Amino acid sequence: MDKDFLKKLLATFTAETKERLDAISAGLVELEQSASPERELELVEALFRETHSLKGAARSVNAAPIESVSHALESVFSALKRQEITPLPELFDLLHTATDTIGELLPSLETGPSTAERERLKELVFRLHQAQRGTLPPLPPKPASRAEQEESAPAGKTAAPRTVRVSAEKLDTLLHQTEGMLTAKLAAAQRMEELRDIRREFALWEKEWKKTLPALRRMRRRLKTEENGKSSSGRSDAPAGRLLDFLDWNYSSIKAVGYRLTRLAKGTEHDLLHLGGMVETLLEDVREALMLPFSSLLALLPKLVRDLSRDRGKEVEMVMEGETIEIDRRVLEEMKDPLVHLVRNCVDHGIERPGERERQGKPPRGRVTVTVALLESNRVEVVIADDGAGIDTARLREAASRLGLVTQEGTKRASDQEILSHIFASGLSTSPIIDDISGRGLGLAIVREKVERLGGSIAVETEAGRGTTFRITLPLTLSTFRGVLVQAAGHLFVVPTADVERVARKGRHAIITLENRETIELDGQTLSYVLLSDALELPRRERADEAGDLLPFFVLATEQGRIAFGVDQIVGEQEVMVKGLGMQLRRVRNIAGATVLGSGKVVPILNCRDLVKSAVRVAATGTAIGYMAPSEESAPRSVLVVEDSITARTLLKNILESAGYRVRTAVDGVDALTLLGIEDFDLVVSDVDMPRMNGFELTGKIRASRQLADLPVVLVTSLDSREDRERGVDAGANAYIVKSSFDQSNLLDALRRLI
């Protein structure tokens, strides 16, 4: 078989297999939670068909390992169809493991599995065959008529619509090319405006020419009289006559050009309307092709909730609504991590354990709900809610005060809602321990940053004992929007129209300084007034101080009130096509992207939420913000690494030293206690499973010591069970990082938060 063809065939098989695995995972989660016998039959039938098709596809590309696992899965679902085995939680665990294993085999299709993977596959297939052979108890007897339903049961909701498989890269390329046509449309509109300017100048010329016609006529009559008199004497003023003849010819020529210009302008206007309609229609069709239902993103959540709740010893039900609403694929891709983080928070922080819920009069099984709804024609709302304990505002006040977000006095005066707004601050966490899922205080800050970068917003509501709700609003598409073009400090900027509350002009006398802050009165209200150039840290340009000088400004609404931004000029409003700044400039303060005007000029698009923060800082100081001078270099923090493996010890030492920490090492808990007795350290990073004294015992010794009780301890270990995590919390660890999900950024984030 041709290598290139085989590569394409395997790529197609990989894409198909991923879709089928997603369908199988979603079906398993629904089957485990289903309370309807009829629906259970539909789901089992659909799962049986998916695995049967997967087995056949694997056989066609000689993917023997995937074929063997798929065949074993098919046998289990066949036994479920015949009601020969009981769908216990242990069986679902095994089925999910088999599904995940198939996904893990996809990257090694060409090379084949390793020896260790082959042994693991053999064990997995053996366990699946054991389950299929009836080692689990049989189902209780059911009505005979169920057997007929088994044979005729439809595939239900898992049946996929007819589709054509096109790579996302091709669609992206098509969209970018279509968006390039929008630039051509804007350029044509610019040329049309230039033609209108020329016509206005021509009309002015024609008006002035008509004013000179009487004088020209008088000059011609006088010249004719003079020429008649001079001809009798034999003399003639030929140059003056030639000048008048030239002016007549010039007028006729310019009038002809004017007629041609008028026809050209009308034709261009017609062409622009035609081009604009074609571009808008094509762009809308391509956007539709790039729109995906939310179900493509939400499909991964049920299994995530199932696995995490079982790991945390909780019972959680996942409910989703509005999955069929479609949104730009790029928005879905950007929202995957934020949505996963919020749902994890609901399970990890929100939902209580069954015993605790029953003591509070709640059902033992908690509920996490994700609801998607259209707000208007171009925006969508995503609501993530749980019925758990709610956010502990007292602990949040303490964390906000410790982080310096509010003063002690401010903490006492602030309402719960005001304190709740700080939950998105970077570094803030109410978790008593940092682990691989939560506690580093970065997740919600990253969630808000990603949502705002997409042009959306996020808000949180909570009620003690009743649960927490996150509300996210997002644009349906990222391509274009209406923007206000403004000029400040000699530069052009675009402000999204959706964020602008009002555009106005006021005389300079309307600006009043109150408590070292500039304000402006508008509609009977006093607004903070900040020059856009100051907020963007641009040098001011002197303006003539005239009493009648009108100052243009635009108004943005914020949680703290409205802010007026002074500019040199409000140029106008127009359609704007968003362009990214590239990988090197993924996050630039105050800038959301860029656009190209019809003139070809590249103009930054302002990030209004960043702009408001910059304006608040300017208003607070009463002056423009300068760049902060670098602080004096402080002494590096000292970390003790406790690890019996020389490889892991060397790795941790190199990571921490590269990050600027001073590192000492110890081979076990006893060695660590000796070093702690003779040297000062800012933090301890320790393994758990070590000879002589393990990490739990070391942590307990540190907490029991009067001198070391406040020393932060981070446990980095391969022990990832719920019992081990709870033992780490009981021992007094500040962070618990599992080696299987180890990422050096997780460790460094934990250290930065703790010291």
Side-chain angles (χ1 to χ4, degrees):
M1 186 181 293
D2 182 75
K3 288 185 178 180
D4 291 337
F5 174 73
L6 178 60
K7 187 170 292 187
K8 290 181 181 179
L9 187 63
L10 290 177
T12 302
F13 172 73
T14 299
E16 177 190 4
T17 302
K18 287 180 179 178
E19 291 181 4
R20 294 194 182 281
L21 292 178
D22 288 342
I24 293 172
S25 295
L28 286 173
V29 172
E30 186 177 353
L31 178 62
E32 188 175 12
Q33 296 180 351
S34 175
S36 166
E38 290 76 14
R39 181 59 183 154
E40 289 177 11
L41 286 174
E42 293 177 4
L43 289 168
V44 170
E45 177 66 25
L47 289 167
F48 175 78
R49 292 180 182 180
E50 288 286 353
T51 51
H52 179 77
S53 299
L54 180 58
K55 180 184 72 173
R59 181 179 300 149
S60 66
V61 295
N62 296 323
I66 293 180
E67 181 187 355
S68 64
V69 178
S70 301
H71 179 69
L73 271 175
E74 181 186 22
S75 300
V76 174
F77 290 131
S78 177
L80 283 171
K81 280 181 60 178
R82 298 190 301 271
Q83 302 179 31
E84 295 175 353
I85 57 176
T86 302
L88 296 174
E90 292 77 8
L91 177 62
F92 283 106
D93 289 342
L94 178 61
L95 296 177
H96 278 295
T97 299
T99 305
D100 293 340
T101 301
I102 293 175
E104 293 167 2
L105 290 171
L106 291 176
S108 59
L109 282 176
E110 294 189 47
T111 59
S114 64
T115 304
E117 287 175 329
R118 290 181 185 278
E119 291 299 320
R120 188 159 60 92
L121 285 173
K122 185 185 295 184
E123 174 64 22
L124 175 63
V125 171
F126 174 76
R127 291 179 62 196
L128 286 169
H129 282 310
Q130 287 293 103
Q132 175 259 330
R133 288 168 183 165
T135 55
L136 296 173
L139 285 168
K142 296 184 180 179
S145 60
R146 293 283 296 278
E148 298 174 4
Q149 295 174 2
E150 287 178 2
E151 299 299 326
S152 59
K157 292 191 293 186
T158 55
R162 295 182 63 186
T163 59
V164 176
R165 195 183 304 279
V166 180
S167 69
E169 290 76 12
K170 289 184 178 179
L171 286 176
D172 285 338
T173 301
L174 182 60
L175 176 64
H176 292 154
Q177 292 174 347
T178 308
E179 289 177 339
M181 294 181 65
L182 182 58
T183 301
K185 172 194 165 186
L186 295 175
Q190 179 74 18
R191 302 292 89 79
M192 184 68 242
E193 190 59 37
E194 291 172 1
L195 283 173
R196 291 194 183 107
D197 290 340
I198 296 174
R199 289 180 64 187
R200 284 191 287 268
E201 292 175 5
F202 180 80
L204 179 62
W205 170 86
E206 190 171 28
K207 182 179 178 182
E208 293 299 320
W209 173 266
K210 289 179 179 179
K211 290 179 182 180
T212 65
L213 283 178
L216 289 173
R217 292 191 189 102
R218 288 194 298 271
M219 183 182 295
R220 187 177 293 280
R221 286 195 299 268
R222 185 168 57 249
L223 183 61
K224 189 173 183 180
T225 302
E226 291 176 356
E227 286 180 347
N228 289 336
K230 292 174 182 178
S231 62
S232 60
S233 61
R235 293 183 299 171
S236 175
D237 193 2
R242 286 199 299 270
L243 177 61
L244 289 173
D245 291 341
F246 173 77
L247 289 175
D248 288 340
W249 175 85
N250 186 62
Y251 173 71
S252 299
S253 299
I254 293 179
K255 284 290 289 183
V257 171
Y259 289 135
R260 292 179 62 188
L261 178 64
T262 300
R263 289 197 304 271
L264 178 61
K266 288 183 178 179
T268 303
E269 190 168 1
H270 178 270
D271 292 344
L272 178 60
L273 289 173
H274 184 61
L275 174 65
M278 289 179 59
V279 170
E280 288 298 329
T281 301
L282 179 59
L283 189 57
E284 188 62 30
D285 289 343
V286 175
R287 285 175 185 162
E288 286 291 330
L290 277 171
M291 301 284 269
L292 289 177
F294 261 92
S295 58
S296 61
L297 171 61
L298 303 183
L300 60 91
L301 297 181
K303 186 173 186 299
L304 170 73
V305 169
R306 177 191 183 275
D307 293 345
L308 183 58
S309 60
R310 288 177 67 83
D311 181 67
R312 293 301 199 236
K314 301 177 180 181
E315 297 179 14
V316 184
E317 173 188 11
M318 183 81 207
V319 178
M320 298 182 295
E321 299 176 7
E323 309 103 297
T324 58
I325 293 177
E326 294 188 336
I327 193 170
D328 194 316
R329 179 180 61 83
R330 294 168 295 180
V331 177
L332 284 182
E333 289 175 352
E334 288 293 319
M335 282 303 300
K336 178 181 177 181
D337 290 341
L339 199 58
V340 165
H341 181 84
L342 290 175
V343 171
R344 277 178 170 171
N345 264 13
C346 290
V347 177
D348 193 38
H349 291 310
I351 302 297
E352 311 93 333
R353 287 193 170 88
E356 177 63 25
R357 290 179 64 86
E358 289 179 336
R359 282 193 295 272
Q360 297 178 19
K362 295 182 178 181
R365 173 177 286 188
R367 171 175 289 193
V368 174
T369 305
V370 178
T371 306
V372 184
L374 283 172
L375 286 182
E376 47 196 77
S377 61
N378 62 347
R379 297 190 77 78
V380 68
E381 181 182 57
V382 183
V383 179
I384 303 97
D386 66 69
D387 64 348
I391 297 173
D392 189 336
T393 53
R395 186 177 291 175
L396 184 60
R397 288 174 189 270
E398 179 185 343
S401 175
R402 185 171 59 249
L403 200 60
L405 299 176
V406 289
T407 62
Q408 288 284 352
E409 187 63 28
T411 303
K412 297 175 183 176
R413 290 199 310 266
S415 65
D416 285 350
Q417 191 59 41
E418 290 172 332
I419 287 295
L420 201 59
S421 65
H422 293 296
I423 198 169
F424 298 105
S426 178
L428 187 143
S429 176
T430 59
S431 176
I433 188 170
I434 304 171
D435 61 13
D436 53 316
I437 294 176
S438 61
R440 295 188 297 276
L442 298 173
L444 288 180
I446 295 173
V447 168
R448 182 173 66 174
E449 180 181 328
K450 285 207 171 188
V451 169
E452 292 182 352
R453 194 165 60 208
L454 290 170
S457 61
I458 183 170
V460 61
E461 306 162 7
T462 191
E463 186 176 351
R466 302 294 296 273
T468 301
T469 300
F470 290 91
R471 297 184 181 275
I472 300 174
T473 60
L474 296 167
L476 281 175
T477 182
L478 296 180
S479 300
T480 61
F481 63 90
R482 300 291 295 178
V484 179
L485 190 63
V486 301
Q487 187 178 48
H491 300 278
L492 290 174
F493 301 95
V494 171
V495 187
T497 301
D499 295 326
V500 177
E501 183 181 283
R502 183 172 177 181
V503 172
R505 291 191 299 174
K506 284 275 190 176
R508 297 182 66 86
H509 64 275
I511 299 177
I512 303 172
T513 301
L514 296 176
E515 298 179 355
N516 200 32
R517 299 184 184 184
E518 287 188 329
T519 63
I520 192 168
E521 187 176 337
L522 186 66
D523 299 331
Q525 291 186 342
T526 301
L527 281 62
S528 293
Y529 178 84
V530 177
L531 287 177
L532 180 60
S533 57
D534 286 352
L536 297 176
E537 301 177 10
L538 298 173
R540 291 192 180 188
R541 289 193 171 188
E542 295 297 327
R543 293 171 55 96
D545 191 8
E546 301 174 4
D549 191 16
L550 292 176
L551 299 178
F553 60 91
F554 63 89
V555 179
L556 299 181
T558 73
E559 295 177 357
Q560 294 79 23
R562 297 188 296 169
I563 298 179
F565 289 85
V567 295
D568 299 337
Q569 182 184 0
I570 303 290
V571 180
E573 185 187 16
Q574 67 176 61
E575 189 173 21
V576 173
M577 183 179 65
V578 183
K579 293 289 187 182
L581 300 178
M583 292 298 295
Q584 293 84 357
L585 299 173
R586 286 184 62 85
R587 184 71 173 94
V588 178
R589 184 161 53 91
N590 297 321
I591 304 298
T595 189
V596 181
L597 301 182
S599 62
K601 185 177 180 62
V602 178
V603 176
I605 300 170
L606 296 180
N607 183 322
C608 290
R609 288 160 183 82
D610 278 6
L611 195 60
V612 166
K613 296 174 187 175
S614 298
V616 169
R617 292 168 59 198
V618 170
T621 59
T623 58
I625 307 169
Y627 292 102
M628 294 181 64
S631 58
E632 294 183 5
E633 187 176 354
S634 58
R637 297 297 188 120
S638 178
V639 177
L640 175 62
V641 172
V642 189
E643 171 65 69
D644 62 319
S645 166
I646 186 171
T647 303
R649 190 163 65 241
T650 303
L651 173 64
L652 289 171
K653 186 174 186 292
N654 288 341
I655 290 174
L656 296 178
E657 286 182 339
S658 298
Y661 294 98
R662 184 172 62 85
V663 181
R664 290 292 305 275
T665 60
V667 297
D668 57 31
V670 174
D671 189 20
L673 279 180
T674 302
L675 285 173
L676 288 170
I678 59 177
E679 293 185 37
D680 292 330
F681 293 94
D682 296 300
L683 183 139
V684 173
V685 176
S686 176
D687 185 22
V688 170
D689 193 8
M690 297 181 294
R692 297 204 295 174
M693 181 184 294
N694 64 36
F696 294 139
E697 295 168 339
L698 172 62
T699 305
K701 295 278 188 183
I702 291 173
R703 291 291 170 259
S705 169
R706 189 186 313 173
Q707 292 80 17
L708 304 174
D710 296 327
L711 182 65
V713 177
V714 176
L715 296 178
V716 181
T717 175
S718 58
L719 303 178
D720 61 351
S721 69
R722 183 177 74 253
E723 292 77 11
D724 289 321
R725 285 193 180 93
E726 292 175 352
R727 190 177 174 189
V729 173
D730 294 339
N734 300 90
Y736 194 99
I737 299 175
V738 180
K739 289 181 179 178
S740 61
S741 60
F742 178 77
D743 184 287
Q744 69 179 46
S745 63
N746 294 349
L747 175 62
L748 296 177
D749 288 341
L751 265 65
R752 279 192 288 269
R753 178 172 178 263
L754 294 172
I755 59 175

